[in-house]
Amino acid sequence: DSGVTQTPKHLITATGQRVTLRCSPRSGDLSVYWYQQSLDQGLQFLIQYYNGEERAKGNILERFSAQQFPDLHSELNLSSLELGDSALYFCASSVGPQGARGNTIYFGEGSWLTVV
Amino acid sequence: GESVGLHLPTLSVQEGDNSIINCAYSNSASDYFIWYKQESGKGPQFIIDIRSNMDKRQGQRVTVLLNKTVKHLSLQIAATQPGDSAVYFCAETPGANNLFFGTGTRLTVIP
């Protein structure tokens, strides 16, 4: 158990809909990362927050947004969903802002999103 | 853009044998590499890392080798056990906060 908690574990929704994925980082971790894992794209970095502020941005679509709240939990909002958004979405956390450098990044078990 | 890839998508080894998983990267600016293990239904788990000022690093039953000349790294697992069955990813971080993952190699250990 990495200590990173993600909900829901599974989600099925229709195209055009909007969903919110939730993540609680490990106790003491200030950075939260979101990754998307799909069969054709592999593991792709989406975005990082550190202590409530956006820290780094990856291949995140404009239809997607995220935020980190004062209690350090994070939400990833996916809107106008398309079939191609079906994927496993991982949240990860680390203590510091440097990403993998100087920090071990711990991954949650992911949220499976199926868009039908 | 960065590109991290793997030579073999699948690898089957006999229990007790050594496993070698290979990874090629394309960004010569990358100076930090990590191997992750992902078991079915779980998130990636850190195994071992290596910085570009090293060419070898050893952990418990695992060794990572880095060849910067040919932009190649490998993960060696000694005395492979059934619990080692998983998908293994190499990842690079070329100075940014992002981790760039390879496509992964599925390791299957045959009892």
Side-chain angles (χ1 to χ4, degrees):
Chain A
D1 182 7
S2 67
V4 178
T5 305
Q6 290 187 247
T7 56
K9 292 196 184 305
H10 300 274
L11 188 58
I12 301 175
T13 191
T15 54
Q17 295 298 304
R18 172 190 168 94
V19 298
T20 298
L21 309 180
R22 195 178 190 280
C23 170
S24 293
R26 290 189 334 141
S27 178
D29 284 0
L30 299 179
S31 272
V32 170
Y33 312 78
W34 286 97
Y35 283 83
Q36 179 193 55
Q37 186 174 36
S38 60
L39 287 176
D40 57 345
Q41 294 290 324
L43 261 166
Q44 300 271 324
F45 169 72
L46 295 179
I47 198 164
Q48 177 198 0
Y49 279 81
Y50 175 73
N51 205 19
E53 299 291 325
E54 183 181 305
R55 177 77 179 180
K57 214 166 187 175
N59 299 323
I60 188 166
L61 299 173
E62 285 190 11
R63 300 184 285 110
F64 297 179
S65 64
Q67 52 184 328
Q68 186 180 27
F69 295 89
D71 67 353
L72 301 177
H73 91 270
S74 178
E75 292 181 355
L76 179 66
N77 301 296
L78 315 173
S79 61
S80 302
L81 284 166
E82 303 174 359
L83 295 177
D85 297 327
S86 296
L88 187 54
Y89 291 84
F90 284 108
C91 174
S93 73
S94 68
V95 173
Q98 310 98 308
R101 297 170 169 278
N103 291 283
T104 297
I105 296 180
Y106 296 89
F107 283 79
E109 295 194 347
S111 293
W112 275 103
L113 172 66
T114 302
V115 182
V116 297
Chain B
E2 290 78 9
S3 173
V4 179
L6 290 158
H7 292 173
L8 295 173
T10 62
L11 177 66
S12 296
V13 298
Q14 207 71 36
E15 181 179 356
D17 287 352
N18 296 335
S19 302
I20 299 177
I21 301 170
N22 296 304
C23 177
Y25 64 95
S26 62
N27 191 333
S28 55
S30 292
D31 61 355
Y32 181 60
F33 305 87
I34 307 170
W35 280 99
Y36 282 89
K37 172 186 181 183
Q38 186 176 15
E39 296 176 271
S40 181
K42 296 188 177 181
Q45 178 185 6
F46 174 93
I47 302 173
I48 191 168
D49 60 358
I50 189 167
R51 297 191 182 278
S52 60
N53 61 352
M54 305 171 70
D55 53 20
K56 181 179 179 179
R57 189 157 190 231
Q58 287 185 292
Q60 187 176 15
R61 281 200 309 119
V62 293
T63 300
V64 55
L65 300 177
L66 174 63
N67 185 331
K68 294 180 288 294
T69 303
V70 296
K71 298 199 200 92
H72 179 272
L73 65 160
S74 66
L75 176 71
Q76 300 179 2
I77 305 174
T80 313
Q81 302 168 1
D84 296 327
S85 293
V87 176
Y88 290 82
F89 294 93
C90 65
E92 62 176 318
T93 177
N97 285 0
N98 306 352
L99 270 177
F100 293 92
F101 284 84
T103 53
T105 292
R106 181 175 299 280
L107 174 65
T108 301
V109 180
I110 304 165

